[in-house]
Amino acid sequence: MKTPLEWKKYYESPSFRENYIYKGNDLGVSCTAGRTLFKLWSPSADSVTLNLYREGSAGEAYAHIPMSGEENGVWSFAAKENMHGVYYDYTLVIEDETVTSADPYAKACGINGRRSMAVDLRLTDPDGWEFDRSPEKGPEQVIYELHVKEFSWDASGGFPEEVRGKYKAFTCGSTTLYHDGIHPTGLDYLRGLGVTHIQIMPAYDYGSVDEEGEDTQFNWGYDPVNYNVPEGSYSSDPAHGEVRVREMKEMIQALHARGFRVIMDVVYNHTYSLDSWFQRTAPWYFYRVFDDGRISNGSACGNDVASEREMCADYILQSVLYWTQEYHIDGFRFDLMGLLDVGLMNRIRRELDERYGKGEKLLFGEPWAAGETAMEGGAVPALKKNISLLDENIGMFCDDTRDAVKGSALKVKKPGFINGAEEKEEDIISSAGAWCGEQTGKKYGVKAPSQVITYVSAHDNQTLWDKLTETMPGSDREEKMRLNRMAAALYMTCQGTLFLLSGEEFARTKEGMEDSYNAPISLNRLDWEQAWENRSLVEYYQGLIALRKQLPGLCDKSEEASARIFGIAKEEGAVSFLVDNRPQERWSILKIVYNSSRKTKKVSLGGEKWEVLCDGRDSRLWQSPGYVEGETRILPQSVLILGRPRMRAAQNTLKAV
């Protein structure tokens, strides 16, 4: 067998690219009434045999069928029957070595993905699936990151025991917590919170959880095995491949019916293991290798997927399109997007826009990598520094805003603006304009707020509450609650698309753990009791989100949005600015003030009358109008939001008390 470097040189040769790039989009299994077609791309195979099984993990094959070699490295077999529910894998001979592989293009599988399954997808559709539609877009997009198992595991959520940690938990109707009355949990709670998009952490088939093992196993799932198959541990019956397909559709259908769009967290930058179906069917084609023969590991997971190669790029594109078409997915969050190339990301954006309308499907990712990668052929990585090369509707998580607000995610003791760091005022001003204006005299290459995901917490690193605990060791609970409210009000008054980790709004803690990817479910689960205990914080988030949806000056995602921000002033520990909020008639101009000091500060209003919309204690003041003029005050460690019905010149001055 060739070495990795020899394979690399072979795949780079003109003869390979001329003879073995397949242009069709029908690889895998097509299973319909009266016909089943198997197609596999394995350009270096000398022979391929299709093995058929009645079970997804046990039993011997009942048939071994030689497949026919076609052009461009494709092998095929057609049966004149619907083989829905039949399991299969392939035996390949490549350079005198025999390997067995599941189908990298499979759409269903058995236990742990070891065998693929032929599936007639129409037989997996829930009742009414043909009528399933995404909710209409509102004035703002608020993304809530959620793990399938974490969502419903805790008994306090009121979910029936048999669905806890499963897709089915999203379909069981209203759930409640009984605690001095009835309090909504689950989807009713999220609806009340005001989020618009639910981002599901990896729900494709991944390798770190044994689907035959104990139900208490836990992993985030950033270790793909079968990219186009739902994860079986979240289904009620992982042994039958069609069940996970149907139940994931039921979850999405239920989310749509309750008013949520659904974002899928996808990990196309690496696989669970180098011993993957990719590797077994096309050795080293789907992976990067350095010119000295070293295996590329920019993911820090043992391998990097070669997104710049034609068949790999097409695989990723077709996978994204499959999830949108078959599962009605509304957007994608790309793990380590910086390991994928700009050309592919822009191509995915174009294809989605052509099919569904410009910007209709959300597309964003992490604009970084864990290390150097061996990208080939002059391809440009989709890193933060290359944001100007990406379509304006491809977003990136903004670690600059995150770190400016609360401190570095990678240096747990390092604070940000709200928790005592000095000289963060200019970064906060840039954060307000989504880093695409020239308020600070600097340019960052960001085209529009549509390219910026504005957030302070995600599944990676510490929760917001744990970060505050680490950086404010002498603070009591009241001060940390005050800072949590400030963090929320600050990033929710910045331009960009809003994103939060599930439970941030009720001071979720993981006891200081930075990386809980395989920690016990008892640590990772959403604690619905805590949501009740910290309901005043939840209510503050509710009010902020409801207010945000009425502020077009902040919701604007266009290239002209940064021009809405003006009248900037700053001093140590304090920042203020004005926002053109038209066409909103009630408040055509906003005045926003951030005070991170422990002192109350005076705010000069330039002789104008302003309506108080939100302060450090109450985010629903806009519901009961109260007015200030001439001068007002901002509480310590808080955000003040004022609204004025007509735009006039205003002086923006701050004075410490």
Side-chain angles (χ1 to χ4, degrees), residues 39-107:
K39 298 187 80 169
L40 175 70
W41 186 72
S42 183
S44 299
D46 298 312
S47 67
V48 179
T49 300
L50 170 65
N51 308 306
L52 303 178
Y53 305 85
R54 292 185 173 86
E55 297 180 47
S57 59
E60 298 296 320
Y62 70 83
H64 303 281
I65 303 169
M67 299 183 75
S68 300
E70 299 182 0
E71 293 183 347
N72 305 124
V74 174
W75 300 80
S76 70
F77 169 74
K80 296 181 180 179
E81 60 178 308
N82 187 327
M83 298 177 68
H84 173 77
V86 172
Y87 294 89
Y88 69 98
D89 61 22
Y90 298 112
T91 299
L92 305 96
V93 178
I94 301 175
E95 295 196 336
D96 297 324
E97 291 192 14
T98 301
V99 297
T100 298
S101 177
D103 185 356
Y105 297 87
K107 296 180 174 65

Side-chain angles (χ1 to χ4, degrees), residues 38-284:
F38 297 80
K39 298 187 80 169
L40 175 70
W41 186 72
S42 183
S44 299
D46 298 312
S47 67
V48 179
T49 300
L50 170 65
N51 308 306
L52 303 178
Y53 305 85
R54 292 185 173 86
E55 297 180 47
S57 59
E60 298 296 320
Y62 70 83
H64 303 281
I65 303 169
M67 299 183 75
S68 300
E70 299 182 0
E71 293 183 347
N72 305 124
V74 174
W75 300 80
S76 70
F77 169 74
K80 296 181 180 179
E81 60 178 308
N82 187 327
M83 298 177 68
H84 173 77
V86 172
Y87 294 89
Y88 69 98
D89 61 22
Y90 298 112
T91 299
L92 305 96
V93 178
I94 301 175
E95 295 196 336
D96 297 324
E97 291 192 14
T98 301
V99 297
T100 298
S101 177
D103 185 356
Y105 297 87
K107 296 180 174 65
C109 68
I111 289 281
N112 291 323
R114 292 188 293 264
R115 291 175 184 168
S116 305
M117 192 190 92
V119 57
D120 183 340
L121 289 164
R122 298 291 65 78
L123 299 180
T124 68
D125 292 345
D127 290 343
W129 184 243
E130 67 274 23
F131 303 113
D132 177 68
R133 297 291 184 272
S134 304
E136 291 295 321
K137 276 188 177 179
E140 183 57 298
Q141 300 160 143
V142 184
I143 303 168
Y144 193 83
E145 183 182 36
L146 196 64
H147 187 281
V148 172
K149 196 164 195 171
E150 293 174 358
F151 173 67
S152 58
W153 181 263
D154 197 87
S156 65
F159 299 92
E161 188 171 358
E162 65 274 12
V163 304
R164 291 176 194 165
K166 307 295 184 183
Y167 298 122
K168 282 282 192 182
F170 292 85
T171 70
C172 61
S174 297
T175 53
T176 55
L177 167 69
Y178 291 89
H179 213 308
D180 294 339
I182 298 175
H183 304 275
T185 62
L187 297 188
D188 284 345
Y189 167 89
L190 296 180
R191 187 71 174 159
L193 186 60
V195 298
T196 62
H197 290 64
I198 302 299
Q199 179 180 302
I200 301 294
M201 289 174 68
Y204 52 71
D205 181 55
Y206 58 83
S208 53
V209 168
D210 180 2
E211 295 172 2
E212 294 180 293
E214 294 296 322
D215 207 32
T216 52
Q217 294 178 95
F218 181 84
N219 202 283
W220 284 343
Y222 292 92
D223 44 1
V225 174
N226 290 291
Y227 280 108
N228 297 319
V229 182
E231 166 60 19
S233 66
Y234 303 147
S235 76
S236 62
D237 182 7
H240 291 84
E242 72 280 6
V243 175
R244 63 181 74 194
V245 177
R246 180 181 302 111
E247 290 181 352
M248 186 171 178
K249 289 180 178 179
E250 289 173 345
M251 175 184 72
I252 294 165
Q253 185 180 39
L255 286 166
H256 282 166
R258 299 298 288 275
F260 303 104
R261 291 194 169 202
V262 182
I263 295 170
M264 187 173 186
D265 195 339
V266 288
V267 186
Y268 293 113
N269 66 82
H270 72 275
T271 56
Y272 177 49
S273 165
L274 263 174
D275 185 20
S276 65
W277 315 140
F278 285 157
Q279 193 75 319
R280 294 190 189 191
T281 57
W284 295 107

Side-chain angles (χ1 to χ4, degrees), residues 515-564:
D515 190 4
S516 64
Y517 76 99
N518 63 350
I521 181 61
S522 58
L523 180 71
N524 280 291
R525 94 288 187 228
L526 289 185
D527 184 352
W528 295 100
E529 285 279 355
Q530 192 175 17
W532 178 81
E533 291 166 1
N534 293 330
R535 59 195 178 278
S536 62
L537 182 59
V538 173
E539 290 166 359
Y540 193 79
Y541 272 75
Q542 288 175 330
L544 282 174
I545 292 171
L547 176 59
R548 168 73 177 219
K549 293 174 181 178
Q550 302 175 70
L551 306 180
L554 299 177
C555 297
D556 190 349
K557 304 294 187 289
S558 72
E559 294 184 23
E560 295 75 35
S562 64
R564 289 177 176 269

Side-chain angles (χ1 to χ4, degrees), residues 340-355:
L340 305 180
D341 60 283
V342 165
L344 173 60
M345 293 306 303
N346 284 336
R347 182 181 171 196
I348 292 171
R349 179 73 272 171
R350 286 194 302 271
E351 290 279 355
L352 290 173
D353 287 350
E354 287 175 7
R355 292 181 180 222

